[in-house]
Amino acid sequence: MPCSSRAGRKTVVSRAVLTVSGIRADGYREILFGVRIGDTESFATWDETFRWLRSRGLKGTMFIISDDYGGLREAAARYFQGAMATPGASDATFSVNAAPVTAPR
């Protein structure tokens, strides 16, 4: 989702707001991280996001449901081989075992 933010005192720039949610095996949906701001919705931004999720223990991804944002499908294919990509949501939603990522505090 695009948004505008200030870069300095006078400049307003367009940024990308990323949200990723997961659906656990028991059917509950969880936000895998709150909001992540990127310069664009490019391969590099999604690549960094997916690398971070994998480092936190995200695994067992079966489906990726998303709009066809630039670079998202390419980055998803790199980190989630075998997951079925399906168009249709305004954010990236993963059908995964989200428990290791969203453990209680």
Side-chain angles (χ1 to χ4, degrees):
M1 158 186 352
C3 75
S4 297
S5 67
R6 259 192 215 286
R9 293 177 53 97
K10 296 182 180 181
T11 306
V12 175
V13 296
S14 182
R15 300 266 175 124
V17 178
L18 309 176
T19 60
V20 179
S21 60
I23 302 170
R24 301 184 324 200
D26 60 6
Y28 286 95
R29 183 176 173 176
E30 294 195 30
I31 302 300
L32 300 182
F33 63 82
V35 174
R36 189 171 178 104
I37 305 295
D39 290 332
T40 63
E41 293 187 60
S42 66
F43 170 77
T45 301
W46 284 110
D47 183 70
E48 178 184 335
T49 301
F50 294 153
R51 185 177 336 113
W52 179 77
L53 285 169
R54 291 292 298 266
S55 74
R56 294 203 49 208
L58 181 66
K59 59 185 175 187
T61 303
M62 298 182 300
F63 300 97
I64 299 171
I65 305 165
S66 71
D67 286 345
D68 194 15
Y69 294 123
L72 187 145
R73 287 184 187 261
E74 183 183 354
R78 180 178 186 179
Y79 288 93
F80 307 109
Q81 296 87 6
M84 182 182 293
T86 310
S90 59
D91 58 14
T93 303
F94 296 83
S95 177
V96 297
N97 176 5
V101 178
T102 58
R105 296 178 189 236

